[in-house]
Amino acid sequence: MEQLGFDFGVEPRPLIKVTPARLSIYDDCPRRYRMTYLDRPAPMRTGPWAHNTLGAVVHNAMRELFGLPSGERTPERAAKLVSRHWRGAGFADAVQVARYAEAARRWVADYVEEHGADADVVGLERWVSATVGSDPASPSLIVEGRADRIDRRDAELVVVDYKTGRRAPEDSDARRSQALALYAVAAGRTLRAPCSRVELHHLPSGTVAVAEHTGESLSEHVRRAEETATASRTATDRLTEGGDPDQLFPARPAPRCAWCELRPSCPDGRQAAPAARPWDLLVPTT
């Protein structure tokens, strides 16, 4: 007698594992996505960029600062942590290195003076993850990544992201940020607490851009993430089957090609804009 069972002839597709960074790169330029995550051997890249070095130093200093007991998070300690983590990769010369090292020490010290450092921090570079999808009954994505900082305020969580770029972000930037929205969803699931508020803390200006998400706005970010992830997986599958890499992952030339780290390996990018110098994206110092 045959064993009865259920076989509908359709195997469910595995969940797509994504990070906000991967989604952002694919949205900006599928070719850059392919070169970053798929091409082997890895394509030639530019050297270090000073603005990335500066951002990493400030992030490391802030992570270590907020890992201390609140009473030890002083402006002086913050400045010393910048010195401890300082690197000079990508800067024009020793004079520029010294100027930005001093500026970064001032930024973090002023941040502590202005905003205080008594936050109830529950996550620093915390890995968060959530299974999500536009249809809650049939999730399609595993969204994961490291949030700069997660605070607990009353009974809710707040995602904090540090910025050191040339332009101070506005509330609209925080609201539009897919990365922050996905971190809010993942933080809420990982730490089992409501999370709807996201903040961009711009260290050079001391400004804080804020967005209060609703269930609907978070769902919309998840829906767009699902579209991007599905498109990138489809293109990857077709590439594996022998498809044309340039057709499946086209370049999207734009002014940002001037400072793309994969510019040496991308003729379209080199034609799109003249090369930026490694220090051109630094926030001006005063």
Side-chain angles (χ1 to χ4, degrees):
M1 181 176 180
E2 287 190 9
Q3 183 76 27
L4 296 179
F6 297 95
D7 182 6
F8 299 104
V10 178
E11 290 190 13
R13 298 201 73 178
L15 297 174
I16 309 173
K17 185 178 291 187
V18 298
T19 64
R22 290 178 75 113
L23 294 170
S24 176
I25 289 175
Y26 186 86
D27 277 336
D28 284 346
C29 181
R31 179 175 293 176
R32 183 182 171 210
Y33 177 94
R34 191 200 80 212
M35 288 181 168
T36 301
Y37 298 112
L38 304 178
D39 283 1
R40 296 295 180 271
M44 182 182 297
R45 295 170 177 260
T46 65
W49 292 84
H51 66 281
N52 289 335
T53 299
L54 178 64
V57 167
V58 170
H59 277 71
N60 288 337
M62 296 295 282
R63 182 192 65 233
E64 190 167 345
L65 178 72
F66 280 91
L68 298 170
S70 60
E72 298 179 26
R73 302 172 193 164
T74 63
E76 296 76 17
R77 188 66 172 270
K80 288 180 180 178
L81 289 173
V82 169
S83 296
R84 176 185 298 178
H85 291 283
W86 186 255
R87 300 290 183 272
F91 290 90
D93 51 34
V95 173
Q96 191 181 63
V97 167
R99 186 167 78 248
Y100 276 90
E102 178 56 34
R105 286 190 288 267
R106 184 175 69 251
W107 296 341
V108 297
D110 289 349
Y111 178 92
V112 175
E113 287 280 10
E114 183 174 352
H115 299 287
D118 57 352
D120 180 9
V121 178
V122 297
L124 290 169
E125 298 289 342
R126 175 64 188 264
W127 188 263
V128 292
S129 178
T131 301
V132 299
S134 56
D135 178 4
S138 181
S140 60
L141 305 180
I142 300 174
V143 175
E144 57 187 20
R146 295 187 188 277
D148 285 352
R149 195 175 102 204
I150 304 172
D151 293 350
R152 188 183 302 279
R153 300 182 195 167
D154 298 324
E156 298 195 359
L157 303 176
V158 177
V159 173
V160 173
D161 192 63
Y162 301 122
K163 294 297 181 185
T164 56
R166 293 177 64 88
R167 185 178 70 86
E170 300 177 354
D171 290 351
S172 58
D173 297 307
R175 186 167 55 252
R176 286 194 301 263
S177 172
Q178 184 181 77
L180 288 182
L182 296 178
Y183 282 139
V185 172
R189 302 279 181 84
T190 301
L191 299 175
R192 301 182 182 277
C195 185
S196 59
R197 183 182 175 98
V198 298
E199 298 178 351
L200 293 169
H201 291 207
H202 187 247
L203 276 295
S205 66
T207 60
V208 175
V210 178
E212 288 280 359
H213 279 292
T214 64
E216 289 75 17
S217 64
L218 290 175
S219 294
E220 176 59 20
H221 278 290
V222 168
R223 184 194 65 77
R224 291 195 297 106
E226 190 175 48
E227 289 181 353
T228 301
T230 300
S232 65
R233 182 168 72 175
T234 299
T236 300
D237 289 346
R238 291 178 179 171
L239 181 67
T240 302
E241 294 165 359
D244 184 282
D246 289 333
Q247 290 185 2
L248 292 171
F249 294 89
R252 290 183 182 157
R256 62 176 172 266
C257 294
W259 57 85
C260 178
E261 74 279 5
L262 288 160
R263 178 185 177 86
S265 301
C266 182
D268 290 326
R270 293 197 298 274
Q271 292 178 8
R277 296 173 300 180
W279 54 88
D280 280 346
L281 268 65
L282 287 167
V283 60
T285 59
T286 55

